[in-house]
Amino acid sequence: MATSDAIIKITSCSKHFGPVRAIDDVSFDIARGEFFSLLGASGCGKTTLLRLLAGFEQPTKGNIFIDGQGMAGVAPNHRPTNMVFQSYAIFPHLDVRRNIGYGLRDAGLSKKELDGKIDQMLELIKLPGFGSRAAHQLSGGQRQRIALARALIKRPKVLLLDEPLGALDKKLREEMQLELRALQRNVGITFVFVTHDQEEALTMSDRIAVISQGKVLQIDTPTSLYESPNCKEVAGFIGTMNFFDGTVKSMEEANAVVDAGPLGDVRTRPFAAKLPASGASITVAIRPEKINLNPSRPSASHNVIEGRMSAAAYLGDRSHYYVAVKGRNAPIAVAAQNVNAARSWLGGQDQPVWLSWREDSVILLDR
Amino acid sequence: MNCIKFVDRMAQGRVARRDMIRAAAAFGVGVTAMPVHVRASDQITVFEWSGYDIPELMPGYAEKHGSPPDFAIFASEEEAFQKIRTGFKCDVMHPCTYSVYQFKDGGMTVPVDTSKLSNWPNVIPALQTAEGVVIEGAVHMVPTDWGNSSVIYRTDMVDPAFQHDESWGILFDETYAGKIAPSDGESNIEIAGLLIGLDRNQIFRMTDEQLEQVRPLLEKQAKIARFYWSDPSEFGQAMAAGEVVAAYAWNEAVKSLTEQGIPVKYANPKEGIFTWLCGLSALNTGEGDSAMVHDFIDAWISPEAGKFLIEEYGYGHSNKVAFEIASPESLAALGFSTDPSEMLADGILFQPLVGELNDKYVNFFNDIKANAAI
Amino acid sequence: MTSPAPIVRQDSRIQRFFLRHEWARGYALLSPTLAVMVLAMCLPVFMLAAHSFWTQNYLTIDETFTLANYEQALGWLWGAEGAKPIYIRLLWKSMQISFGVTVTTLILAYPFAYFLAFKVRRNKNLWIILISVPFLTSYLLRVFTWKIILGFNGVINSGLMSLGIISEPLEFLLYNPTAVLIVLAHAWAAFAILPIYVSLEKIDRSLLEAATDLGDGPFRRFWRITWPLSVPGVIASGLLVFIPTVGDYVTPKLVGGTEGIMIGNIIQSQFGKANNWPLGSALSIVMAIAITIVVLIFLYVMSLGRVRAK
Ligand SMILES: Nc1ncnc2c1ncn2[C@@H]1O[C@H](COP(=O)(O)OP(=O)(O)OP(=O)(O)O)[C@@H](O)[C@H]1O
Ligand SMILES: [Mg+2]
């Protein structure tokens, strides 16, 4: 986390629209050259944060620094940022070349230099020869790339992207995700990328900020976010998670024993720095893929429970199972890779199964 | 012939939709001037000048037939003629001696049976037989109203000498450039004819050479006129403000401007004063009942209608009894001879411009106006 | 029932025809509109065209084909004997006035439409209703209102006089071509506002933000994005104002004085006082064709301009 070389510094920033706190006292840094994602549910304030960076909105409170310079009172056209809009905002009355070259009118380039730069961009976005196309003759993916080229040609210090892949179909989106990531490495520009798609964020980002109701919940690398979310909300938003309420029974060295109701005693080896106190109410979280499904009781003495198969979903590469446990309404989700052909011993509905998990698979979260 | 001080009333916020239609008609806009209510099929339709569509001018008619007739309004006889020609259905129309021939020639008029008019014996004898009333031995237009056309001027703003030497020439006089208001019509040609010394008949049938002779006069007039008026309210307003000091006008203007306290005088130009005589023609273009048409015309020539016309509008009426019962002040205020036969003999009676002659006059005047505008 | 009923109902030939031909269905649907259009628009135009080749004979019309009316209207161009220049000159002048009206109207309407599209956030509909409020009163009433404003002792004159700026009323306010221009521009402004407003309103706000984001200040952004995208609305408004005002005759008659006459006044007089429908028809058609030509040239020049911009 290269906070020492932060290109963006946000210090206790808030943005209110009347009673709505779209951004609520947010502070964090973004490092130079980072692919940084803002992830959150619809309406959580991602676009607002991006617009604060771009200068289309002024913070109600707090400051934003870009490359060490305070941005208060700096108009969007004077900021070292460029934006790729959610709708792409391709100028409909200009052809592709003019769209891409739009921002360079004042750069003092000769026609030849400008043409060269535009050609270079067309090359970069893999649309050479498209220069004279009219705006309405482009597909969604092409528009997205041109919007990207139009912003990149300005060589901004920070590129802001507002759900740029939202309008594309799944296949194209996945393709573009990789391309975008590769491109970012190539050009070395800091990307601030807004998305509500957690998978997208996980695939592409160096770091992700998870936002909810205007607040930043956690900023971390994709792995840390997934493996050690710092709160229930983050854990629930990224991936699937089984939650159980429990009480800390005892602490043995760094291990805890939690009485998790229907699960019985759960032993954990929490890797969070903060150790819960004995007797504290706590939430136990286990990822579905970290739970093993066994036809009979495994030998382990703890972190084992019996249940009955209530539903199964075959997804090709993996399967999802839902196992009902006594004393708990919601079934426990279990995911397993279909390494071999689907588990032959699984009979079907109501078959008794045994669930087990490792101590270090358990995450303890505040309730 | 219109007694609406339109702009004044509008300024006072008293203009109703009806007035709008009238004003519209005055400018040839509301050619579709609609009957005020959906036509009760059993009422006759009367095509009238604006301001004449009031019950006081047809006393007794509404009482006898349940309601007043349906009215439609026109601003000029030409407009009315075109409208009837293109299918407008009406039973009675209000032309003048100079315009009735058009309707007669167009086969629209039907002779009126004067024996069915109880007031006919009291119609001034000279009018009963006037040219235009009787055409080819039949009464095609029952005379109703008559009056003058002359110059009205502001006594306080025009050279005092003019009062002793009143002339049509003031409407062509550069001294008053930008302050005169002729009417928007061919009468200007006729007036110019008088000014170059043509006789009172010749001005209605000028030759091409004679027209060329009056051209400079008219071109000068077009340059110095403030505007050509289409509705008397236009120059009335302008005269009251002092914007215009002399205008072509009908008698009625004197009365209304004097009542407003404006010092005006109605000239008796040395070249001659114009006279007009108008009346009601029964038409065959409507669907109304002929007896009702006769009742309507009879009501119009009643002494009571005449008294109202004289007192309120300042025009002469065709019924001689009307002059006996009208108030003496209003008779004095008329400002012209109350003896119609004398007046008809002295004044220059407007004569019809028919066919090619009409074309020639209209196009000549258009030419003058267009040239002034280019 | 003697014969067995067919299982599938046999469509009549007409039904089958309509089923098979989509265009026929289209026309059938359109036919009421089409009938009205033909009756209300084509027929009068046809009558006008027919009249323009006939001759008026006092009260009757001689229906022998002749070009005399056109010669009278246009003959001056090729020096035909007795042909007068007034019609062409007046047509030209009317177009100049209309052009002035159009430009003035657009200059008035554009900022208003801009304001409405970009600055008004709440109650836009209310504003649009407000624009159309003048239409609740008759056109004549609005012209008279202008007479009151511009008149000899009207609002402007009495205002200036009471302020002591002038001692005599200004006479040039009314009864001249400028007055015609002012009144027409006011009358048509509302018509011009709406198309411009629609074209401005249609502009995606993110385009403007994108332009700003790419470095444009407000003025440059206007010229590079807002203006070009609103040009179609401006053209529509311009045509909407130019075409009908060339032939206007009410306004010049009421406020034009002796210099403000337009071609419409002469045409109206041919249909009225002059009682010469054929000449009036020929003049109308000449005017319509002249307007069409001017509009086509204008559109052609515009399209050239846009091709070049690409
Ligand atoms: N101009 C505005 N006026 C009032 N409220 C606003 C405005 N812009 C955003 N908001 C509110 O601020 C909150 C955050 O909006 P924002 O657009 O930032 O959400 P988002 O995270 O981008 O959502 P999405 O994923 O749907 O695009 C929302 O509740 C929204 O209604
Ligand atoms: Mg958003």
Side-chain angles (χ1 to χ4, degrees):
Chain A
M1 273 177 250
T3 37
S4 56
D5 191 18
I7 188 143
I8 293 177
K9 253 183 167 333
I10 300 172
T11 55
S12 15
C13 217
S14 294
K15 175 71 191 177
H16 301 170
F17 296 109
V20 181
R21 294 173 172 221
I23 293 295
D24 192 5
D25 194 23
V26 163
S27 305
F28 63 89
D29 292 355
I30 297 174
R32 199 179 295 277
E34 206 174 10
F35 195 117
F36 191 91
S37 291
L38 302 174
L39 175 65
S42 182
C44 71
K46 307 178 294 284
T47 300
T48 307
L49 189 51
L50 211 60
R51 292 172 60 82
L52 284 168
L53 292 174
F56 295 124
E57 308 284 359
Q58 295 299 322
T60 314
K61 274 204 287 278
N63 285 312
I64 292 172
F65 297 88
I66 299 180
D67 210 15
Q69 199 196 340
M71 285 292 124
V74 180
N77 45 331
H78 296 130
R79 294 196 178 196
T81 58
N82 281 112
M83 185 143 166
V84 176
F85 288 81
Q86 197 159 2
S87 58
Y88 308 145
I90 301 293
F91 303 126
H93 57 302
L94 302 177
D95 63 12
V96 169
R97 293 194 80 85
R98 280 163 194 274
N99 260 288
I100 293 180
Y102 189 93
L104 288 187
R105 200 172 107 143
D106 277 344
L109 299 174
S110 69
K111 170 114 179 59
K112 216 168 139 203
E113 287 170 313
L114 182 63
D115 279 346
K117 280 194 169 241
I118 294 173
D119 285 334
Q120 215 180 327
M121 275 298 152
L122 285 168
E123 207 68 51
L124 186 72
I125 58 171
K126 306 205 178 100
L127 289 175
F130 275 69
S132 55
R133 286 265 185 119
H136 61 89
Q137 296 169 318
L138 300 166
S139 74
Q142 290 164 344
R143 286 164 164 265
Q144 191 271 327
R145 291 179 215 209
I146 287 155
L148 192 65
R150 185 176 69 181
L152 278 177
I153 201 169
K154 295 266 295 175
R155 292 260 143 204
K157 289 180 178 158
V158 178
L159 186 70
L160 309 169
L161 304 101
D162 191 356
E163 307 205 24
L165 308 179
L168 307 181
D169 64 61
K170 187 168 184 306
K171 193 153 182 309
L172 187 58
R173 187 154 81 214
E174 281 168 4
E175 227 174 273
M176 287 304 300
Q177 283 171 5
L178 295 177
E179 272 185 40
L180 211 54
R181 185 69 234 237
L183 194 102
Q184 192 262 341
R185 293 223 173 88
N186 262 338
V187 296
I189 291 174
T190 310
F191 276 32
V192 180
F193 184 94
V194 162
T195 179
H196 62 254
D197 180 340
Q198 42 116 354
E199 246 175 70
E200 191 167 281
L202 292 176
T203 353
M204 302 176 74
S205 325
D206 291 324
R207 283 196 307 152
I208 300 171
V210 181
I211 305 178
S212 170
Q213 299 188 341
K215 285 187 183 296
V216 173
L217 298 179
Q218 186 173 3
I219 301 179
D220 238 321
T221 60
T223 326
S224 311
L225 269 186
Y226 190 81
E227 300 294 348
S228 50
N230 67 2
C231 65
K232 232 177 128 172
E233 247 183 304
V234 173
F237 190 70
I238 297 183
T240 324
M241 188 67 97
N242 294 301
F243 293 110
F244 310 92
D245 290 343
T247 324
V248 180
K249 257 176 138 175
S250 66
M251 297 293 301
E252 295 168 8
E253 288 164 19
N255 288 4
V257 178
V258 179
D259 174 7
L263 293 194
D265 285 358
V266 173
R267 277 165 186 274
T268 75
R269 204 187 308 149
F271 32 82
K274 191 180 71 173
L275 289 175
S278 203
S281 295
I282 213 153
T283 297
V284 173
I286 310 172
R287 295 270 179 211
E289 72 277 10
K290 304 210 165 150
I291 302 178
N292 294 318
L293 205 56
N294 311 287
S296 56
R297 189 186 164 95
S299 57
S301 61
H302 52 261
N303 293 358
V304 168
I305 186 172
E306 189 186 8
R308 280 173 187 282
M309 187 61 67
S310 77
Y314 176 69
L315 300 175
D317 58 338
R318 68 212 131 92
S319 294
H320 287 173
Y321 304 97
Y322 298 92
V323 178
V325 184
K326 236 183 239 141
R328 184 183 151 91
N329 286 336
I332 296 173
V334 179
Q337 287 296 315
N338 295 329
V339 184
N340 314 315
R343 282 159 197 73
S344 50
W345 54 267
L346 268 179
Q349 196 87 20
D350 284 343
Q351 182 184 4
V353 290
W354 290 87
L355 304 179
S356 65
W357 56 91
R358 287 162 51 129
E359 284 176 13
D360 58 6
S361 303
V362 178
I363 304 164
L364 293 187
L365 300 167
D366 289 337
R367 209 181 276 171
Chain B
M1 300 177 206
N2 186 328
C3 59
I4 308 163
K5 295 295 150 295
F6 186 82
V7 175
D8 284 350
R9 294 181 47 191
M10 188 171 66
Q12 295 162 24
R14 279 176 26 217
V15 173
R17 173 180 158 279
R18 220 165 111 86
D19 296 333
M20 275 316 302
I21 294 170
R22 283 184 189 174
F27 297 101
V29 181
V31 187
T32 50
M34 53 232 77
V36 177
H37 49 88
V38 179
R39 286 198 50 194
S41 55
D42 51 354
Q43 247 327 333
I44 59 168
T45 302
V46 176
F47 209 9
E48 258 301 0
W49 297 87
S50 70
Y52 275 7
D53 54 340
I54 50 175
E56 289 87 341
L57 289 172
M58 52 216 70
Y61 178 86
E63 289 74 18
K64 183 165 176 193
H65 293 288
S67 67
D70 294 334
F71 281 106
I73 305 299
F74 65 84
S76 73
E77 293 105 314
E78 291 86 356
E79 174 212 321
F81 176 72
Q82 297 297 352
K83 193 171 169 187
I84 296 171
R85 196 149 80 102
T86 47
F88 182 67
K89 291 192 168 73
C90 57
D91 304 294
V92 179
M93 149 77 202
H94 198 140
C96 301
T97 49
Y98 55 87
S99 55
V100 66
Y101 291 91
Q102 210 175 7
F103 294 90
K104 155 86 174 55
D105 293 350
M108 298 166 188
T109 57
V110 281
V112 175
D113 182 354
T114 53
S115 68
K116 289 187 184 155
L117 305 176
S118 64
N119 290 308
W120 181 256
N122 284 330
V123 169
I124 299 163
L127 300 186
Q128 284 181 344
T129 54
E131 205 183 326
V133 171
V134 178
I135 305 175
E136 293 165 15
V139 174
H140 277 267
M141 180 184 96
V142 174
T144 50
D145 51 322
W146 46 269
N148 295 106
S149 293
S150 180
V151 172
I152 188 171
Y153 61 98
R154 286 278 299 249
T155 49
D156 56 336
M157 300 177 99
V158 164
D159 182 359
F162 181 77
Q163 294 199 33
H164 310 293
D165 187 25
E166 292 172 339
S167 161
W168 284 106
I170 194 170
L171 295 182
F172 299 84
D173 188 345
E174 289 105 334
T175 325
Y176 303 109
K179 293 186 180 313
I180 58 161
S183 76
D184 189 5
E186 292 64 46
S187 56
N188 291 306
I189 302 175
E190 291 147 12
I191 295 167
L194 284 179
L195 285 172
I196 62 162
L198 297 180
D199 90 44
R200 50 174 59 190
N201 290 316
Q202 189 58 32
I203 59 171
F204 297 107
R205 48 189 78 102
M206 285 159 75
T207 63
D208 289 348
E209 293 77 51
Q210 288 167 336
L211 283 179
E212 285 313 312
Q213 278 177 300
V214 297
R215 183 187 284 276
L217 268 179
L218 290 166
E219 279 176 349
K220 185 168 83 180
Q221 184 183 51
K223 229 173 274 148
I224 63 175
R226 183 74 175 139
F227 52 78
Y228 294 112
W229 62 261
S230 301
D231 183 281
S233 67
E234 283 181 285
F235 75 80
Q237 172 75 8
M239 279 197 105
E243 181 179 10
V244 158
V245 301
Y248 176 96
W250 299 317
N251 315 64
E252 164 269 324
V254 190
K255 188 173 152 65
S256 66
L257 280 169
T258 310
E259 276 170 11
Q260 292 175 53
I262 313 293
V264 289
K265 193 161 174 256
Y266 203 46
N268 194 356
K270 59 186 175 197
E271 298 86 4
I273 190 166
F274 285 105
T275 311
W276 47 262
L277 169 62
C278 302
L280 294 170
S281 291
L283 304 184
N284 57 14
T285 56
E287 294 161 339
D289 174 31
S290 160
M292 286 167 86
V293 168
H294 280 83
D295 280 350
F296 173 76
I297 295 176
D298 200 23
W300 238 102
I301 58 172
S302 68
E304 297 74 31
K307 178 174 149 67
F308 182 84
L309 189 71
I310 293 166
E311 290 179 355
E312 298 300 320
Y313 283 48
Y315 291 134
H317 190 257
S318 59
N319 193 314
K320 58 190 177 205
V321 182
F323 289 89
E324 292 159 19
I325 61 174
S327 72
E329 309 88 69
S330 63
L331 284 177
L334 281 182
F336 58 86
S337 163
T338 51
D339 177 359
S341 37
E342 179 188 315
M343 196 194 76
L344 289 173
D346 286 358
I348 306 167
L349 192 66
F350 280 111
Q351 293 180 24
L353 293 171
V354 171
E356 230 170 274
L357 205 58
N358 176 61
D359 262 26
K360 195 159 88 175
Y361 272 54
V362 171
N363 283 323
F364 185 73
F365 190 56
N366 272 345
D367 224 31
I368 300 284
K369 287 198 289 184
N371 274 321
I374 292 166
Chain C
M1 278 260 215
T2 47
S3 62
I7 298 165
V8 176
R9 198 171 57 85
Q10 203 70 47
D11 286 341
S12 74
R13 277 185 60 177
I14 295 173
Q15 279 172 317
R16 264 180 289 154
F17 175 80
F18 277 118
L19 265 180
R20 214 169 306 138
H21 300 284
E22 195 176 347
W23 57 265
R25 267 178 286 155
Y27 279 112
L29 267 177
L30 262 180
S31 57
T33 328
L34 220 56
V36 172
M37 290 273 283
V38 167
L39 282 177
M41 295 188 57
C42 301
L43 210 61
V45 171
F46 176 77
M47 286 306 292
L48 207 66
H51 268 91
S52 72
F53 297 110
W54 294 340
T55 318
Q56 185 87 39
N57 240 334
Y58 184 31
L59 296 179
T60 55
I61 283 186
D62 176 358
E63 297 184 1
T64 359
F65 177 88
T66 171
L67 288 173
N69 296 310
Y70 287 100
E71 192 171 320
Q72 215 176 327
L74 296 171
W76 177 72
L77 288 177
W78 58 85
E81 206 186 323
K84 289 176 290 190
I86 57 159
Y87 301 120
I88 290 166
R89 291 244 201 104
L90 210 53
L91 179 58
W92 178 236
K93 186 191 153 201
S94 304
M95 287 199 175
Q96 286 174 310
I97 292 182
S98 282
F99 183 75
V101 170
T102 308
V103 172
T104 313
T105 309
L106 292 178
I107 291 174
L108 289 175
Y110 199 96
F112 196 96
Y114 189 91
F115 171 77
L116 200 57
F118 292 113
K119 303 294 169 194
V120 178
R121 288 180 200 283
R122 267 175 270 165
N123 301 331
K124 279 199 191 199
N125 286 337
L126 187 74
W127 280 83
I128 291 172
I129 291 169
L130 278 180
I131 295 174
S132 35
V133 159
F135 294 101
L136 299 178
T137 63
S138 130
Y139 179 58
L140 226 46
L141 197 65
R142 279 178 281 148
V143 180
F144 276 112
T145 313
W146 273 107
K147 284 183 103 164
I148 290 180
I149 295 171
L150 300 173
F152 190 74
N153 51 4
V155 176
I156 293 180
N157 272 328
S158 28
L160 290 178
M161 273 163 61
S162 70
L163 288 176
I165 295 171
I166 51 171
S167 56
E168 287 275 292
L170 303 173
E171 295 192 348
F172 62 81
L173 293 176
L174 199 54
Y175 302 124
N176 53 38
T178 315
V180 176
L181 194 142
I182 294 173
V183 175
L184 279 177
H186 168 254
W188 289 89
F191 288 109
I193 287 171
L194 290 178
I196 300 177
Y197 166 72
V198 169
S199 69
L200 286 172
E201 183 69 30
K202 254 190 352 207
I203 296 177
D204 185 349
R205 297 301 182 269
S206 67
L207 295 180
L208 303 179
E209 289 187 341
T212 309
D213 188 65
L214 292 167
D216 280 355
F219 286 103
R220 174 158 301 176
R221 180 184 74 185
F222 175 80
W223 282 116
R224 296 180 78 188
I225 307 293
T226 316
W227 170 253
L229 290 178
S230 63
V231 160
V234 174
I235 291 178
S237 291
L239 296 181
L240 203 66
V241 175
F242 180 77
I243 294 172
T245 47
V246 176
D248 188 42
Y249 67 93
V250 182
T251 321
K253 179 147 193 175
L254 289 175
V255 299
T258 53
E259 308 156 33
I261 293 204
M262 289 167 68
I263 187 79
N265 298 96
I266 299 296
I267 294 178
Q268 191 229 351
S269 139
Q270 294 305 328
F271 282 100
K273 276 186 180 176
N275 190 22
N276 191 344
W277 288 29
L279 181 57
S281 304
L283 287 172
S284 303
I285 285 177
V286 166
M287 180 180 84
I289 291 174
I291 293 174
T292 311
I293 291 172
V294 169
V295 166
L296 288 179
I297 291 175
F298 171 74
L299 289 178
Y300 179 70
V301 170
M302 287 308 297
S303 70
L304 274 192
R306 268 202 268 175
V307 167
R308 216 175 305 125
K310 284 233 163 111

